[in-house]
Amino acid sequence: MTEITLDDLYKLSKDDYVLIDIRNEDLRQYGTIPGAVAMDIATDPEERNRKIEAIPEDKKLIFYCEVGRRTRELPEEELPNGREYYSLEGGYMGYVRASMADERGQAEKQQRAEESIRKKFHKQLFTPFAKACKNYKLIEDGDRIAVCISGGKDSMLMAKLFQEIKRHRKCDFELTFLVMDPGYNKENRSLIESNAKALGIPIEIFESSIFDAVDTIDKNPCYLCARMRRGHLYNKAREFGCNKIALGHHYDDVIETILMGMLHGAQIQTMMPKLHSTNFEGMELIRPLYLVREKDICAWRDYNELHFLQCACHFTETCSTCHEDGTTSSKRLETKKLIAMLKENNPFVESNIFKSVENVNVDTVIEYKKNGVRHHFLDEY
């Protein structure tokens, strides 16, 4: 398929073409090009072609994926005849990098992002962030916290919320904004640096070779990658004199993890708001976005016209994100859809899932584990 560059695209009138996003739904949640039409190219060719034929014939059809590889290899012979088909060079990530390359108005971006946290999104973002920090005692006097930034929307917002809560001076603590480069290509690393600069986040970057180490792993490469990344983060945080690392998992991650544990792992467990490191004595992991909803994070991102990394590893086209629990993105997306479906009939289903692990009645549990030791109800029957 013929490639078209962003420069050539911008020379066209918007009435001359239609952008078609062929990425999966999980990837699209991290952002799309404005005005693009979502279309599943791989499944149900008849339905796909009907959608294409419904687009006026005088429109050029410009497909894009994550990095431009899938659309470049699309076989035009499987698409309706008589149309002009193009592949957007660089895909969505190319669009994001180009949008961040323009440094004009970066001071305004930082000011707008910070003001939106204090005003427009204060109730949705800062209030639950501060509540989690207070309820779970995530921040204490004397702490030095390594705020771990992956480059995505969650960790970038977490960094801004930490800056905001420190501005209130209600607790004496220090921050180090830590970015690990596990083997990003130069464009993706540049995107993280550009976003940090635009948002006024003074990041400390260190390098590792994790991507190369897991590149040849066939089974659960994302699980191994996530575990290795955490170890490197703990180690570097300790070098900076930190006693805690902060990760950007939010409320939706928590409830999805609870449900996935039951459906796919045959266990009841949750993603804890904080926990002690088992390998780095004296270190803790905290999750200050524990009560923040993902939809509100997305709303803040879109309101401020920000574009963040989602996953920049060698598996980007097939693996939409790296989850520390080893679950695939398809399982997480499946769980997300299940929760949304259940919510149609029960508006409290999300909070009920969350509260279920706060209201465990051990008297009605057949068997449970405590500190690795199993306890059966017959032991005390």
Side-chain angles (χ1 to χ4, degrees), residues 206-270:
F206 71 99
E207 297 177 354
S208 73
S209 57
I210 290 177
F211 280 177
D212 288 337
V214 302
D215 197 20
T216 57
I217 303 296
D218 294 326
K219 187 175 181 181
N220 290 336
C222 293
Y223 175 78
L224 178 61
C225 177
R227 304 307 292 182
M228 292 178 67
R229 282 189 289 120
R230 183 180 294 188
H232 278 71
L233 288 169
Y234 268 126
N235 191 57
K236 183 58 68 171
R238 191 163 60 180
E239 288 182 17
F240 277 96
C242 299
N243 64 309
K244 293 178 179 177
I245 66 170
L247 301 185
H249 299 111
H250 47 67
Y251 184 97
D252 296 75
D253 288 325
V254 176
I255 62 174
E256 290 161 15
T257 298
I258 294 170
L259 203 52
M260 283 191 296
M262 297 173 65
L263 300 178
H264 300 287
Q267 58 188 337
I268 297 175
Q269 63 176 17
T270 189

Side-chain angles (χ1 to χ4, degrees), residues 88-103:
L88 182 62
E89 185 181 64
Y92 177 70
M93 291 308 302
Y95 163 77
V96 170
R97 286 192 290 267
S99 66
M100 291 305 301
D102 184 0
E103 296 187 2

Side-chain angles (χ1 to χ4, degrees), residues 114-128:
E114 292 174 352
E115 285 185 354
S116 66
I117 289 173
R118 293 169 192 155
K119 297 178 181 178
K120 183 176 179 64
F121 296 101
H122 188 274
K123 182 179 179 181
Q124 297 94 327
L125 298 177
F126 185 78
T127 297

